[in-house]
Amino acid sequence: MSNDPNLPSSIPEFIAKYKENYVEGWAELWNKSGGKPLPFDRGFPNPALEDTLIEKRDIIGDPIGRGAQGNTYRKKALVPGCGRGVDVLLLASFGYDAYGLEYSATAVEVCKEEQAKNGDKYPVRDAEIGQGKITFVQGDFFKDTWLEKLQLPRNSFDLIYDYTFFCALDPSMRPQWALRHTQLLADSPRGHLICLEFPRHKDTSLQGPP
């Protein structure tokens, strides 16, 4: 339930009305919020992501990769539906070039404000690796327009952290969701998808966060 009189009382029911055009629903929510974070925004990165970046490094590797010719490069991480962008700031602090994607132009401005206001609260985790670049971009996850803005080809991302789309999408769109991730992730075994799923099977009336 939302306590903001400008927002619908049930966000899942509001989004459900948009069906496959769900991105327009999320954009409308941001517009209704007046640029304030949405109700399920905790205001800090998810501890599960931080734990994974620390404890599963043997699986996902270092933020600095090495190409076939021995040259090093900074890996790219994507957070689709990044909210106010706190997880993007966390990924950059670990050394990834981190990209936050939002369909709402209002949300992108919120992300930039969050970076300007609280970016220094994310200290560099490894001085030798340093901090990665932070980029917020407006676009539709399922279209390539935002990739073209960034001048990136498909299969550019070494890591994708998806805690929004799998939960927000109508279940009928999950095959489309899976295909899109294969288009965005670097080829196996380099690319890694980290998902945080909201437990719909337990109580479908709960609104989140995941």
Side-chain angles (χ1 to χ4, degrees), residues 182-203:
T182 66
Q183 295 170 345
L184 295 174
L185 274 171
D187 294 335
S188 180
R190 206 181 92 192
H192 294 277
L193 173 62
I194 301 173
C195 291
L196 190 63
E197 181 185 354
F198 185 70
R200 289 185 174 194
H201 61 281
K202 292 184 178 180
D203 186 347

Side-chain angles (χ1 to χ4, degrees), residues 137 143-154 180:
V137 62
K143 297 180 181 179
D144 285 346
T145 308
W146 58 275
L147 285 172
E148 294 164 2
K149 286 181 189 176
L150 298 172
Q151 298 184 324
L152 293 176
R154 289 183 174 184
R180 186 57 171 162

Side-chain angles (χ1 to χ4, degrees), residues 45-55 87 90 94 125:
N46 197 296
L49 174 60
E50 186 170 6
D51 289 346
T52 299
L53 294 173
I54 295 171
E55 298 175 6
D87 296 301
L90 178 71
F94 273 86
R125 300 304 180 105

Side-chain angles (χ1 to χ4, degrees), residues 1-151:
M1 299 293 290
S2 171
N3 295 321
D4 187 335
N6 296 318
L7 294 175
S9 59
S10 173
I11 290 178
E13 290 178 8
F14 177 83
I15 294 296
K17 296 177 182 177
Y18 287 82
K19 297 183 179 180
E20 292 190 4
N21 199 24
Y22 72 98
V23 289
E24 295 291 348
W26 284 108
E28 183 61 20
L29 277 177
W30 277 105
N31 290 338
K32 287 179 177 293
S33 77
K36 296 178 183 178
L38 297 179
F40 43 78
D41 186 331
R42 290 175 170 170
F44 54 86
N46 197 296
L49 174 60
E50 186 170 6
D51 289 346
T52 299
L53 294 173
I54 295 171
E55 298 175 6
K56 302 298 181 181
R57 201 159 177 171
D58 59 325
I59 296 175
I60 61 177
D62 294 328
I64 302 297
R66 187 174 296 276
Q69 305 302 319
N71 55 308
T72 60
Y73 62 93
R74 193 175 294 275
K75 292 181 179 179
K76 294 180 176 63
L78 172 68
V79 184
C82 65
R84 75 163 79 176
V86 291
D87 296 301
V88 178
L89 301 180
L90 178 71
L91 285 160
S93 76
F94 273 86
Y96 292 92
D97 280 343
Y99 297 79
L101 174 65
E102 269 289 349
Y103 183 77
S104 165
T106 299
V108 172
E109 290 306 310
V110 170
C111 290
K112 292 177 180 179
E113 290 171 7
E114 179 70 20
Q115 179 185 359
K117 183 178 179 180
N118 295 315
D120 58 356
K121 295 180 180 178
Y122 298 80
V124 172
R125 300 304 180 105
D126 187 323
E128 292 186 5
I129 292 175
Q131 178 173 305
K133 179 178 65 176
I134 297 167
T135 304
F136 295 109
V137 62
Q138 188 272 333
D140 186 338
F141 174 71
F142 290 101
K143 297 180 181 179
D144 285 346
T145 308
W146 58 275
L147 285 172
E148 294 164 2
K149 286 181 189 176
L150 298 172
Q151 298 184 324

